Amino acid sequence: MQIPGKIIRLVNLVTQHIKTKIKLISKYTEQLEVKTGVRQGESLSTILFCTVMETLMKKLEMIGDISTQLKQVCVYVDSIVLVTRTEQALNNKFQTLKQEAIKYGLAINQNKQNI
């Protein structure tokens, strides 16, 4: 995935020196520095997630018309549904997805997967 240097610099600018507090019961903690990631719900997190997911789907060769593809994928928020014609094809795509996701810092939640 080729991301222009300008975009990388902009992302770095908006994700550096972020501080937050955590509310426990009715009190806030001392201020903490966030060292990695973006806040959930922040517009940047959606853009980055969609960019990575599009790249993953291209690597899985899952982009195409339903009438011409033997395999399909549905991606929504933090869920992915893979549909193939055979169990072997499903396992192959799933293993590829896991390997590619790791490259982008994503992980498959073992408690949510169903094959």
Side-chain angles (χ1 to χ4, degrees):
M1 171 168 62
Q2 290 289 69
I3 299 175
K6 183 176 183 178
I7 301 295
I8 293 171
R9 287 190 300 279
L10 286 170
V11 169
N12 285 333
L13 277 173
V14 298
T15 58
Q16 289 178 350
H17 310 296
I18 304 292
K19 297 189 190 263
T20 190
K21 292 182 179 183
I22 300 171
K23 185 175 183 180
L24 297 170
I25 305 172
S26 61
K27 296 183 180 180
Y28 287 93
T29 64
E30 293 293 320
Q31 203 169 50
L32 306 166
E33 184 176 354
V34 178
K35 297 187 181 202
T36 61
V38 292
R39 290 182 293 213
Q40 186 174 0
E42 191 173 297
S43 58
L44 181 60
S45 68
T46 303
I47 293 166
L48 293 173
F49 180 76
C50 289
T51 302
V52 169
M53 291 311 299
E54 182 178 357
T55 302
L56 286 175
M57 294 307 104
K58 285 179 181 176
K59 290 189 178 210
L60 287 173
E61 300 173 349
M62 298 294 279
I63 294 177
D65 186 280
I66 195 167
S67 64
T68 61
Q69 292 284 345
L70 297 178
K71 53 209 174 291
Q72 296 298 315
V73 66
C74 176
V75 179
Y76 182 74
V77 188
D78 66 347
S79 298
I80 299 172
V81 177
L82 296 173
V83 178
T84 62
R85 296 198 184 216
T86 67
E87 188 174 345
Q88 181 63 43
L90 178 62
N91 283 321
N92 291 345
K93 288 296 174 187
F94 181 71
Q95 292 306 317
T96 302
L97 174 63
K98 278 177 48 173
Q99 292 167 0
E100 291 296 324
I102 289 169
K103 293 177 185 177
Y104 296 99
L106 301 176
I108 306 296
N109 184 339
Q110 300 294 328
N111 298 322
K112 287 179 68 175
Q113 71 183 32
N114 295 307
I115 296 181

